[in-house]
């Protein structure tokens, strides 16, 4: 598996070039950090890699065993976590897991869902609507939901946001588990988050 980025550019207007002519290959069994100052385009690049927004020029391809995956199917291969991603806060945790499982066409059972909640230390709150969760608990819930389909690619934007030490350790364990044979890309300037990676791509090199 690999993710190929070729001649990628994102231009807002003639006075704002987010990045340009970016060519890079993200390879299996490796971990990468997207770094750069606030507003440099880290989150934008992550969204383009996930095919959530389109670049001005260039392309991003997912390749598995020599076969290019259609952009519309790329979501089947990655988990995406970011502070700006919303969850359905009116739902109970089990309800939310059931909905995502249905969307992902994953067999659902209460036993499976409770095991996941326990893994993320949310099982004691399974009867509480998510809107009453703390910000750190909501972040853990987002990570849980992103892992339901057991993705081989993790795309993380500032994943430790709002987490306490316990939450960070939970994230570190799951990041390690899910990227042993996959690809990890983190957009961050946080030293602890970057320490999880092997190499980095500096957005400022593509201005």
């Amino acid at each position: 598996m690999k993710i190929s980025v070729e001649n990628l550019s994102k231009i807002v207007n003639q006075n704002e070039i987010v990045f340009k002519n970016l060519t890079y290959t993200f390879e299996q069994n490796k971990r990468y950090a997207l770094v750069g100052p606030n507003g440099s385009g880290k989150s934008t690049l992550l969204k383009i890699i996930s095919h959530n927004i389109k670049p001005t020029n260039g392309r991003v391809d997912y390749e598995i065993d020599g076969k290019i995956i259609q952009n519309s199917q790329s979501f089947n291969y990655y988990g995406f976590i970011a502070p700006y991603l919303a969850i359905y806060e009116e739902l109970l945790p089990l309800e939310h897991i059931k909905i995502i499982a249905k969307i992902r066409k994953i067999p659902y059972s209460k036993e499976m869902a409770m095991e996941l909640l326990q893994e993320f230390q949310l099982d004691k709150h399974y009867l509480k609507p998510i809107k009453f969760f703390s910000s750190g608990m909501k972040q853990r819930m987002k990570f849980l939901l992103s892992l339901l389909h057991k993705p081989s690619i993790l795309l993380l934007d500032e994943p430790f946001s709002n987490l306490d030490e316990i939450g960070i350790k939970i994230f570190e364990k799951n990041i390690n588990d899910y990227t042993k044979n996959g690809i990890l890309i983190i957009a961050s300037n946080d030293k602890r988050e970057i320490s999880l990676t092997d190499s980095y791509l500096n957005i400022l090199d593509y201005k």
Side-chain angles (χ1 to χ4, degrees):
M1 170 182 291
K2 66 180 180 180
I3 301 174
S4 299
V5 175
E6 185 176 351
N7 295 323
L8 206 66
S9 298
K10 185 63 177 178
I11 301 171
V12 178
N13 54 56
Q14 60 182 358
N15 297 316
E16 186 177 352
I17 298 173
V18 184
F19 47 78
K20 61 181 180 180
N21 303 325
L22 195 164
T23 296
Y24 201 86
T25 300
F26 300 95
E27 299 179 345
Q28 190 171 357
N29 302 326
K30 292 190 177 181
R31 304 175 177 194
Y32 303 87
L34 308 180
V35 301
N38 292 342
S40 59
K42 300 186 299 296
S43 296
T44 298
L45 178 55
L46 204 63
K47 292 174 185 176
I48 291 175
I49 290 172
S50 67
H51 297 117
N52 280 305
I53 62 173
K54 293 183 178 180
T56 305
N57 297 298
R59 59 185 295 136
V60 176
D61 289 322
Y62 290 27
E63 184 178 330
I64 300 177
D65 297 327
K67 180 182 178 181
I68 301 297
I69 305 302
Q70 292 183 3
N71 290 357
S72 61
Q73 297 301 312
S74 62
F75 74 97
N76 290 315
Y77 298 91
Y78 67 76
F80 195 127
I81 306 163
Y84 45 80
L85 292 182
I87 52 179
Y88 300 114
E89 297 196 0
E90 298 300 319
L91 298 179
L92 301 176
L94 293 179
E95 293 174 328
H96 209 322
I97 293 172
K98 189 172 185 178
I99 286 175
I100 300 301
K102 184 176 182 180
I103 292 172
R104 292 285 190 183
K105 299 180 180 179
I106 299 167
Y108 171 84
S109 70
K110 183 177 180 181
E111 181 181 5
M112 173 273 285
M114 289 302 297
E115 287 178 357
L116 283 170
L117 290 172
Q118 185 175 14
E119 172 70 24
F120 285 83
Q121 297 190 22
L122 295 170
D123 52 307
K124 294 180 180 179
H125 308 280
Y126 81 101
L127 293 176
K128 181 188 298 183
I130 294 171
K131 66 181 178 181
F132 295 118
F133 280 16
S134 68
S135 57
M137 291 165 64
K138 290 176 183 176
Q139 183 74 345
R140 278 185 267 158
M141 189 69 195
K142 290 178 185 180
F143 198 9
L144 181 161
L145 294 170
S146 75
L147 298 179
L148 275 182
H149 60 303
K150 301 186 185 303
S152 51
I153 300 169
L154 285 181
L155 306 176
L156 311 182
D157 196 346
E158 299 181 350
F160 293 171
S161 296
N162 302 314
L163 294 178
D164 57 14
E165 191 64 27
I166 292 174
I168 289 173
K169 288 182 177 179
I170 291 171
F171 266 53
E172 287 177 336
K173 177 185 181 301
N174 280 278
I175 287 171
N176 288 331
D177 288 346
Y178 277 86
T179 56
K180 286 178 181 177
N181 298 304
I183 298 172
L184 172 68
I185 306 175
I186 296 180
S188 178
N189 283 323
D190 183 277
K191 291 182 179 179
R192 187 161 180 176
E193 293 173 342
I194 294 173
S195 71
L196 298 173
T197 65
D198 306 312
S199 57
Y200 66 89
L201 186 160
N202 193 328
I203 303 296
L204 293 183
D205 292 337
Y206 300 92
K207 294 293 186 181

